[in-house]
Amino acid sequence: MQRFLVLLVLLGAAAAPPPPKRIALPRGFQPTALAAMGNDVVVAGLNGQVVIVRDLARVSAPIAAGANPSALGVAGGLIAVANHETDYVTLIEGTVPRTLRLRSRPHPHAVAIGDFDRDGKPDLAVDSWGENRIMLLFGRDGWRGPGTPVDVGARPYWTITAADVDGDGNVDLVTPNYGTTKVSILLGDGRGHFAHAPGSPFDAGPCPFAATVADLNGDHRPDIAVANFSGHNTDTANDGLTWIRNDGARRFTPFARRIVTGNYSARIAAGDLDGDHVDDVVFTNANGTTATVVYGSPTGPRRTASLATMPHPHGVAVVGGRVVVAKEEEDALLVVAGR
């Protein structure tokens, strides 16, 4: 009997999640945006710098990233920074930053990297939500501004995701339409042009604010997860998570009813957190002390869990199956869950 009890204790200990891990950042850094880069996480700070945390353990020397970083795009060894309240974005290759001026009204909020014209050179997509447009900066032109406009129809705002959602080998773009109930899916033709998918923009519940692309039902087709947030931390009645299922052949089915509610759910990330080869979604509840995980399943995102974080978590990323969160007022990252 005693051996049996010992075995139960050992099994319980083995199944228990690891304790949160705190990673100190440079003093005065004020982390505002996170992005996964393989097994590393890229962190932008309000102090105008970027650091790379290698293997969630070793913090790099700071890299200049321009004023007011608000969002990150990471791909192909490049880091792109949306510089809020400026007329530029910053592109970092290795440790060398480059300022790229463009037309963005009122100023950049979101940025994504992808090879939009299939010439082997990375291109950039930046919001110009005041003009209902996305602006493209092509690598073939040295990312020269003011940029090539793509008309979205309604306010591409806080996130732009570059991914091949229809499986044709061309990069597509996904962006919420701020102030509406819609998300736009723009299909690329591989020559630098984009057009709405049939049915786009899609219903995405109340106040879609941020979106990410992930396979949420294990069918090997990338779906869209949407964080719903009004844009005001005192108005959270409609906060939470919705999703758009990818049915293949450029068909998408929106599920605009919230799966779970949130509380200032403005940041979202995705990855396989439980090792079942189906992507999961996590969003922060910045008015509180938690992040919410919604686990993927063969029928889509269903089961939920609440993760304890520091107060007012702001940024979030999924890195190597682990959830990483940060707040602007604390110069540290917290690894709170995952494999």
Side-chain angles (χ1 to χ4, degrees), residues 114-302:
D115 185 1
F116 307 145
D117 54 4
R118 301 189 71 167
D119 65 351
K121 299 177 181 178
D123 309 307
L124 302 182
V126 183
D127 76 288
S128 183
W129 70 263
E131 301 176 309
N132 301 320
R133 291 174 169 178
I134 289 173
M135 303 300 289
L136 305 181
L137 300 177
F138 288 99
R140 67 183 183 230
D141 299 328
W143 305 289
R144 186 173 62 247
T148 300
V150 175
D151 289 323
V152 176
R155 290 186 166 187
Y157 184 52
W158 197 253
T159 60
I160 300 171
T161 303
D164 180 10
V165 299
D166 61 355
D168 66 353
N170 300 323
V171 177
D172 310 308
L173 300 174
V174 177
T175 185
N177 304 133
Y178 180 65
T180 74
T181 60
K182 306 288 186 178
V183 165
S184 291
I185 299 177
L186 304 168
L187 302 180
D189 66 357
R191 297 187 296 273
H193 308 115
F194 293 87
H196 280 277
S200 174
F202 294 95
D203 288 334
C207 306
F209 190 82
T212 191
V213 172
D215 181 8
L216 302 175
N217 58 1
D219 65 358
H220 307 291
R221 292 191 289 257
D223 309 300
I224 317 301
V226 182
N228 301 88
F229 169 57
S230 70
H232 306 282
N233 66 351
T234 57
D235 179 10
T236 62
N238 293 318
D239 289 10
L241 184 83
T242 60
W243 74 299
I244 302 169
R245 188 181 66 208
N246 185 342
D247 297 323
R250 297 186 167 185
R251 298 190 307 269
F252 300 87
T253 300
F255 294 88
R257 184 173 180 176
R258 286 176 297 166
I259 300 164
V260 63
T261 60
N263 187 7
Y264 191 168
S265 46
R267 302 294 189 277
I268 190 171
D272 183 6
L273 297 174
D274 55 4
D276 66 352
H277 307 292
V278 179
D279 286 333
D280 313 303
V281 184
V282 59
F283 62 83
T284 53
N285 295 296
N287 273 346
T289 59
T290 65
T292 299
V293 175
V294 183
Y295 291 97
S297 76
T299 56
R302 290 293 180 268

Side-chain angles (χ1 to χ4, degrees), residues 85-104:
E85 297 181 349
T86 75
D87 63 349
Y88 64 85
V89 295
T90 302
L91 187 65
I92 300 171
E93 184 173 9
T95 59
V96 179
R98 178 176 174 181
T99 299
L100 306 176
R101 300 194 183 276
L102 78 159
R103 179 185 176 93
S104 175

